[in-house]
Every structure is written in structure tokens, then in C-alpha cells.
Amino acid sequence: MQTELADFIRDLPEGKEADAILRKCVHCGFCTATCPTYQVLGDDLDSPRGRIYLIKRVLEGAPVTGRTRLHLDRCLTCRACETTCPSGVRYGRLVDIGREVVEKRTWRGPWDWLKRSALSFGLPRTALFSLALKVGQAVRPFVPGRLKAKIPARPEGNAAWPAPRHARRMLVLGGCVQPALAPSINAAAARVLDRLGISLIEAPGAGCCGGVRFHLNRHEAGRDDMRALIDAWWPLVEGHGVEAIVVTASGCGVTVKDYGHLLANDPDYRDKAARISALARDLCEVVPADFPQIRPQSGPQSRVAFQSPCSLQHGQQLRGRVEALLQRAGYEAAAVQDAHLCCGSAGTYSLLQPAISGELRRRKLDALQAGAPACIATANIGCLTHLQSESAVPVRHWIELVDEALQRRVNA
Ligand code: SF4
Ligand code: SF4
């Protein structure tokens, strides 16, 4: 595609990057076939090809309107289009650049601004989110059905951590909302890795990865969260010889793996950010594929449908690993159609675009439950909470299922 970027951005690093990405797109439209918003809305401007065209026009200096922003807001940033594109167009990076420009040149209404500000303020603050969730859970029994479904139930899983005892150590991201919503996930990861000879540790004061605010188009606030997390991790990275930084939420993992790029223009942090990104691993990359094989369990809990989050399969390009680990742990895989499509969670998308998000969840749950699983497994806390609110069967993080299988083997 030929481009002629406007003076305001042509010579900036992001302008050069956007120009290189745009020039790779040949407008073939292959990506539209796997775009969830195009499937739901049927408008080319809600497809990757249409959005790329809109961003090109914006960067070439065309007027920016609320409609331009609407089509960019409706994008889930699921990056299914990147997996499909035969030309290697890095759409995710391009839409970040386009959104930043559009955000600065348009005005949101007061209600939209207020919602985004509340999410940006509240979600990354673990203690505040935890308090709000506890209040919500206390009144949950007394609210009507549809509202009740929006308030996650009290967590029930085993949140006990083993004491660190191994020479091999890995850091784990605590995250912002996961400690309140499902403290059992990191605990299960710690127990599984402990059995495999690795101690998992959390750094004091380490919170949000920065993805929440960055994807609300508050890029500098998101980068501040990234810098704060790097500062919290750095003494342990430098002094304690941690082998890896494990992330149990794939949505956060894709952000941490991108720190080197996102902070490349910050002279104080770029080297540290690159080191952090090089150490970052999704949990499925550190649980070895040859951990002790477990005989298939008989009974209704053994059939599992895996929902592969977009941040895992498209963002991190990790496919098939969790399915293999679940199978080795003795679970039978239920077939899932259209496994490449987003469930509609997408960070704060489910709160900001509830109609499209709800339709995508309905389609995803139909596909996941078609094989009559006893349980749905996922790899991301956002997808877990979003799917659980309407699912007829429990939705769990896959590591909790592996942990339970290993525990049953010990008890047998
Ligand atoms: S992003 Fe890729 S698949 Fe989509 S129109 Fe451009 S070249 Fe074709
Ligand atoms: S990121 Fe997802 S929703 Fe956005 S254009 Fe690509 S496929 Fe469509």
C-alpha cells in the first residue's frame, strides 16, 4: 500500500513504524474472515482491512471524527488478523499508534470519559479493586439476576502457597485484579512448580502490568505502571538469580513480553525493560511437557473444553501447549469449533462494548459447551470471569486442573 504520512507524524519513531506496517498491507482482505467484529457487524470498517484504511487516512492528515474512533474502539485488539495475514502486517502495533492519535484529536462524551476514567483509576489499584469486589460480593445475594451475573462470586479454590525451598526460582506476576478474583491460580502454579523442583516467588509491591491503562488509550499512565512494576521486580532480577518471570494471565503476559518495545524510547528504562521481556514466560512455557503422566480420570470431571485466549494464541503465538499439558494430566479434550475467535472479554472491552462482547460470549459458550464438557479451562483471568458469568459449567484456569490431577496422583 502506498502512503504519504502527514508532517505531524512522518519523522517520529511511531510514524516511521506505522509507515512500515502500512506499506506491508496489500489490502487483500484475507484477515476479514477471522475478525470477530466483522463477523458480528458485517461492516468493512469494523474489519482489520477497514481499520487499517482508517488509520492510514488519519496518519495522512485526513479529518478525524467520532466515527473513526468508534470503529477503532470496537476493535478487540485480539490480533486474530495478525495470525491470518499472509503479509505479516503487525496490526496490533498499528492500532496502538492510530488510537493514540485519534484519542488526542477527538472528544469523548462525559459518560464515556467517566467510565474510562473510573476503570483507569480503579482496576490497576489492587487494594481498591479488592475492597470494591468484597462490597459487591456482600450484596450479591440481594441483587436481581442480570446484575448478579456481573458480580463475580467469592473465590473458592485452594490459595495455599508452598514455602520456597528450591535452588531454582522464578518470579511470578501478582497482577491487579487476579489476586482478588482468583488467588488460587498463582497458588496452584506455585504448587505445581514446587513439585517439579522450582520455587515461585512474588515481589513485594508488584502490581498491574500496565496493560489496563495502555489499552484504555492512556499510554503514558500505562507506561508508568510498567516502570513501577520493573522497579518492584528489579532487585529480585538482579540479585536473586531468578530464571524467568512467569505470568499466569496470558493477557498480562503479552504486555510484559512487549515491554522492551513499549519502553524503547525511554533511556532510563529501555535496557531493564528489554531484560524483563526476555525473562517473561507464559506459565505453559515453564511447565515441562514431560511432567509425570497421569492416567485418565474416570467420571464427569475428566472432559474439558479449552478456551485459548487471544493473548495466548495470537498475541504470544502459543498454540497447542495447554491442550497437551491437560491431556498429559489425564483430561479428555472436548472439541471446540472456531477456537481462533475471541470470547469478547478483551480487557475492559466487555464493560465498554457490552453488546458486541455479549454476542461473542454467547457464540463462544455455545462452541465450548457443544462437546458437553464437565468444565471449561482457560489461561486468562479476564476470559475466565467473562465466560463464568454466563456459563452452565465451571470455568477454571488450566493450572488448577493440572494441580488437582497431580494431587490426586499423590493421594492415590
Ligand atoms: S492486513 Fe494482511 S490480510 Fe489484511 S488486508 Fe492487509 S495484507 Fe491482507
Ligand atoms: S484485532 Fe481482532 S477485532 Fe481488531 S481488527 Fe484484528 S481481528 Fe478484528
Side-chain angles (χ1 to χ4, degrees), residues 31 34-38 46-49 51 74-82 91:
C31 51
T34 56
C35 174
T37 55
Y38 182 68
D46 287 309
S47 79
R49 181 173 59 182
R51 291 181 178 121
R74 283 180 181 161
C75 171
L76 296 138
T77 331
C78 68
R79 294 167 64 182
C81 47
E82 284 189 23
Y91 171 86

Side-chain angles (χ1 to χ4, degrees), residues 322-399:
V322 175
E323 294 89 324
L325 292 170
L326 284 170
Q327 215 168 353
R328 199 162 172 91
Y331 294 96
E332 181 196 347
V336 181
Q337 275 214 320
D338 292 332
H340 60 283
L341 288 179
C342 181
C343 69
S345 169
T348 54
Y349 189 95
S350 58
L351 302 166
L352 297 169
Q353 301 286 342
I356 305 170
S357 168
E359 175 59 20
L360 290 170
R361 176 174 52 199
R362 187 190 65 70
R363 294 181 187 193
K364 178 60 77 178
L365 282 173
D366 283 351
L368 287 165
Q369 292 175 147
C375 169
I376 293 169
T378 183
N380 188 44
I381 185 66
C383 309
L384 189 158
T385 312
H386 178 63
L387 291 172
Q388 184 66 86
S389 66
E390 297 283 336
S391 173
V393 296
V395 186
R396 317 272 311 274
H397 193 288
W398 65 270
I399 196 66

Side-chain angles (χ1 to χ4, degrees), residues 24-32 48-49 52 81 84-89:
K24 277 193 156 188
C25 177
V26 294
H27 243 56
C28 63
F30 285 169
C31 51
T32 57
R49 181 173 59 182
I52 287 169
C81 47
T84 312
C85 176
S87 303
V89 171

